[in-house]
Amino acid sequence: MDMFDHIQELEIRREKVQLGGGQKRIDAQHERGKLTARQRIDLLLDEGSFVELNPFIEHRSSAEGLAEGPGDGVVTGYGKIAGRLVFLFAQDFTVFGGALGEMHAKKIVNVMDLAAENGAPIIGLNDSGGARIQEGVLSLDGYGHIFYRNSIYSGVIPQISVILGPCAGGAVYSPAITDFVFMVEKTSQMFITGPKVIESVTGAKINQEDLGGASVHSTKSGNAHFAAATEEEVLAEVRRLVEFLPSSYEEKAIHKPSAANRGPGERVQELVDIVPVDGTKVYDVRQVLTSIVDDGDFMEVQARFAKNLVVGFGRIAGETVGLIANNPKNMAGGLDIDSSDKGARFIRFCDCFNIPLITFEDVSGFIPGVKQEHGGIIRHGAKILYAYSEATVPKITVILRKAFGGAYVALNSKAIGADLVFAWPNAELAVMGPEGAATIIYAKEIRESADPEATRKAKIAEYRERFANPYIAAAHGMVDDVIDPRDTRRVLVQSLEMLRHKKKKLPDKKHGNIPL
């Protein structure tokens, strides 16, 4: 054989690998409404940037009935998103149903190690029938190696999981540890035990979609951060997310100038109209966020889960920021178990990756009720307080309207480490709302007056004027400045510029013990 014969053999072998399970199985994948692993990679990465790793790895099992499996059911490698390096793996459902075995796992952990060592995000495209039964405990060991890396690389590099088919059993714990989970409606599912097992154990009948589909995980469990109707839409959103993030904990997100070229001093006139002065009237805080961020580009995280708290990414003067905001449109914007978990997790991600935090506050308190108390609101509410306290990135709060009770303290108050707190002139800061406080404090006077209702209203107004206005808090240094709502963006631009080089070191320790 001369060199050209060897080259021809290489090309034949590579072509076989790229066909995966063969054309028949590729057609079957398409009939399910799903793309192949390589088609997904092409959609996700910049054109022509993908470099494959370990294409010729195959399983080492001698189990009967386990045929050849090109690439051992997973495609791994690296490429670019918007010109920046990322690493990835894409499980190939056309080879062994994407089932994970020893060498399949080895390929994944190899690319995870490369991502961590090179300070670049790792993206997992999951589409797998689960553990490869024929390889027994070797498959379980493979999962363990992946879980371990998910855990120790947490906070080192961004980790993103994209569920593009089944993800069941132990396999779900890898996405659960990663920073963000994307799902496709109707074609992707996550669950620990499938419908048949649940029926055999509990008698309950449920289908895969109702048990662990994208709708369930994006609205009820909160396990999915993003969901869309098609794989194309989901992968486009992954690209969008990556552009907001730094490559590792050692970097900051890249500067991206605003397309609209808004000046830093430009007033946002519409803010006066979006937020009603009357604290009993509702509004959608996302209108506030889109008015303030560059080009109205706000990428909401967990948009369908715990909707009383809005979290997500935007840019101000070209710099990525993490935004947290109470939304009075849902549950009056109060904090409950789910919103506390959602907020705490997001805050800790931003702190890991040097993303400044801006909190827009309009909160009447933690949600009361037996269900909340018995569900552990004390423990869950403590998470958001802990997350803010521990974060060392720039932290800014803008009080739009209400800031009452323990929720005021928990939502990035000066006492727990806010760098700057601003309040609009209509803001109310108090132990509780004026209506409740006045009724308690002046109960006897109201009860004994000739016109109790008129007296109650007068006392509420008096309490609001004497105790709940922002100037009381400003006089004691708990609010740094009372600002014109229209100047909110300008104030944030100035504040972020001042805090750009902030350095704060926490007491030396192994790690804290967040109330989980």
Side-chain angles (χ1 to χ4, degrees):
M1 290 178 69
D2 62 18
M3 180 56 75
F4 288 104
D5 291 326
H6 287 293
I7 291 171
Q8 186 178 26
E9 182 188 2
L10 169 63
E11 290 173 350
I12 291 169
R13 286 176 177 269
R14 193 176 296 279
E15 186 177 342
K16 183 179 178 182
V17 167
Q18 291 179 345
L19 265 177
Q23 193 58 50
K24 186 177 178 181
R25 289 184 179 172
I26 290 172
D27 292 343
Q29 180 83 340
H30 289 159
E31 286 167 12
R32 296 185 187 99
K34 295 161 63 179
L35 301 174
T36 66
R38 294 180 186 277
Q39 287 173 323
R40 291 162 175 166
I41 291 170
D42 288 342
L43 279 172
L44 178 63
L45 300 180
D46 295 350
E47 187 175 353
S49 70
F50 179 59
V51 178
E52 188 169 356
L53 297 170
N54 302 123
F56 300 117
I57 275 185
E58 293 194 17
H59 69 79
R60 303 191 294 181
S61 174
S62 58
E64 192 175 329
L66 198 58
E68 277 188 19
D72 206 36
V74 64
V75 181
T76 64
Y78 60 94
K80 292 183 178 179
I81 291 179
R84 294 166 59 218
L85 178 67
V86 297
F87 290 79
L88 59 81
F89 65 86
Q91 292 179 312
D92 186 351
F93 200 81
T94 71
V95 178
F96 306 138
L100 183 139
E102 175 200 14
M103 300 307 288
H104 180 122
K106 182 176 175 60
K107 287 182 71 171
I108 292 175
V109 300
N110 283 350
V111 80
M112 292 177 77
D113 288 341
L114 280 171
E117 289 162 7
N118 287 278
I122 180 76
I123 303 169
L125 308 182
N126 296 264
D127 187 4
S128 170
R132 196 175 299 166
I133 297 169
Q134 297 93 330
E135 294 194 34
V137 75
L138 288 174
S139 293
L140 300 180
D141 184 66
Y143 278 126
H145 284 285
I146 294 169
F147 302 159
Y148 176 73
R149 283 161 177 79
N150 288 138
S151 302
I152 64 168
Y153 296 153
S154 180
V156 177
I157 52 173
Q159 299 184 60
I160 297 169
S161 296
V162 190
I163 315 301
L164 298 163
C167 183
V172 298
Y173 286 113
S174 175
I177 302 170
T178 60
D179 299 306
F180 298 104
V181 175
F182 289 77
M183 294 186 76
V184 183
E185 292 162 7
K186 296 185 171 64
T187 58
S188 61
Q189 300 92 30
M190 288 194 296
F191 40 73
I192 297 296
T193 50
K196 290 181 181 177
V197 175
I198 287 176
E199 184 178 355
S200 68
V201 174
T202 69
K205 291 185 177 182
I206 192 167
N207 62 40
Q208 288 193 352
E209 189 65 22
D210 291 339
L211 177 63
S215 177
V216 169
H217 286 308
S218 59
T219 61
K220 293 183 180 179
S221 72
N223 290 327
H225 300 82
F226 303 95
T230 67
E231 292 191 15
E232 290 85 351
E233 290 176 66
V234 163
L235 293 170
E237 285 294 280
V238 175
R239 286 182 59 89
R240 182 183 174 207
L241 174 63
V242 168
E243 290 191 55
F244 276 109
L245 309 180
S247 293
S248 77
Y249 80 102
E250 294 180 303
E251 300 179 15
K252 291 189 176 182
I254 60 168
H255 179 87
K256 186 177 180 181
S258 167
N261 295 316
R262 294 171 74 180
E266 182 183 331
R267 278 191 152 181
V268 185
Q269 299 291 341
E270 62 265 33
L271 285 174
V272 173
D273 301 317
I274 293 171
V275 181
V277 173
D278 183 349
T280 65
K281 291 184 178 179
V282 301
Y283 63 96
D284 192 338
V285 79
R286 289 172 296 188
Q287 292 181 272
V288 173
L289 305 183
T290 54
S291 296
I292 288 172
V293 298
D294 296 354
D295 308 319
D297 185 14
F298 172 60
M299 187 171 191
E300 189 171 356
V301 177
Q302 291 181 295
R304 295 190 239 173
F305 176 70
K307 293 190 284 187
N308 43 320
L309 189 73
V310 173
V311 303
F313 299 105
R315 293 184 185 88
I316 293 182
E319 305 297 332
T320 294
V321 291
L323 303 165
I324 303 101
N326 304 107
N327 197 359
K329 187 178 178 182
N330 299 95
M331 298 169 65
L335 290 175
D336 65 343
I337 288 170
D338 286 342
S339 61
S340 296
D341 286 357
K342 172 180 172 178
R345 174 78 167 161
F346 181 76
I347 291 161
R348 284 168 69 83
F349 174 84
C350 291
D351 190 46
C352 287
F353 293 104
N354 310 306
I355 297 172
L357 291 162
I358 301 176
T359 304
F360 293 89
E361 187 172 350
D362 186 353
V363 66
S364 55
F366 284 94
I367 301 293
V370 174
K371 186 176 179 182
Q372 288 290 313
E373 293 291 352
H374 289 183
I377 184 62
I378 295 171
R379 169 168 47 90
H380 290 274
K383 294 179 192 181
I384 197 164
L385 192 155
Y386 187 107
Y388 271 123
S389 300
E390 186 185 48
T392 59
V393 293
K395 296 182 290 187
I396 303 167
T397 296
V398 181
I399 301 172
L400 305 178
R401 209 165 57 168
K402 300 187 294 291
F404 296 155
Y408 151 69
V409 178
L411 284 172
N412 197 41
S413 61
K414 293 285 279 191
I416 65 169
D419 296 296
L420 294 166
V421 175
F422 300 102
W424 286 7
N426 58 298
E428 297 178 357
L429 293 80
V431 173
M432 63 192 300
E435 291 81 2
T439 302
I440 293 169
I441 295 170
Y442 305 110
K444 184 179 180 182
E445 195 172 335
I446 293 169
R447 188 175 61 250
E448 294 176 354
S449 71
D451 187 344
E453 183 57 24
T455 304
R456 189 182 73 85
K457 287 180 178 178
K459 290 300 181 182
I460 289 170
E462 181 185 335
Y463 181 90
R464 181 175 279 116
E465 178 66 28
R466 289 182 60 194
F467 302 112
N469 71 70
Y471 302 103
I472 304 295
H476 291 84
M478 291 176 284
V479 166
D480 291 288
D481 199 4
V482 181
I483 62 173
D484 184 324
R486 297 170 296 176
D487 291 330
T488 303
R489 178 177 158 87
R490 174 182 63 78
V491 168
L492 292 174
V493 170
Q494 293 171 335
S495 301
L496 290 167
E497 185 177 7
M498 181 272 286
L499 291 165
R500 184 171 295 157
H501 302 294
K502 174 189 173 183
K503 290 181 181 177
K504 181 177 181 180
K505 188 171 174 59
L506 298 176
D508 190 37
K509 56 185 172 182
K510 192 171 181 181
H511 59 72
N513 187 21
I514 187 169
L516 297 173

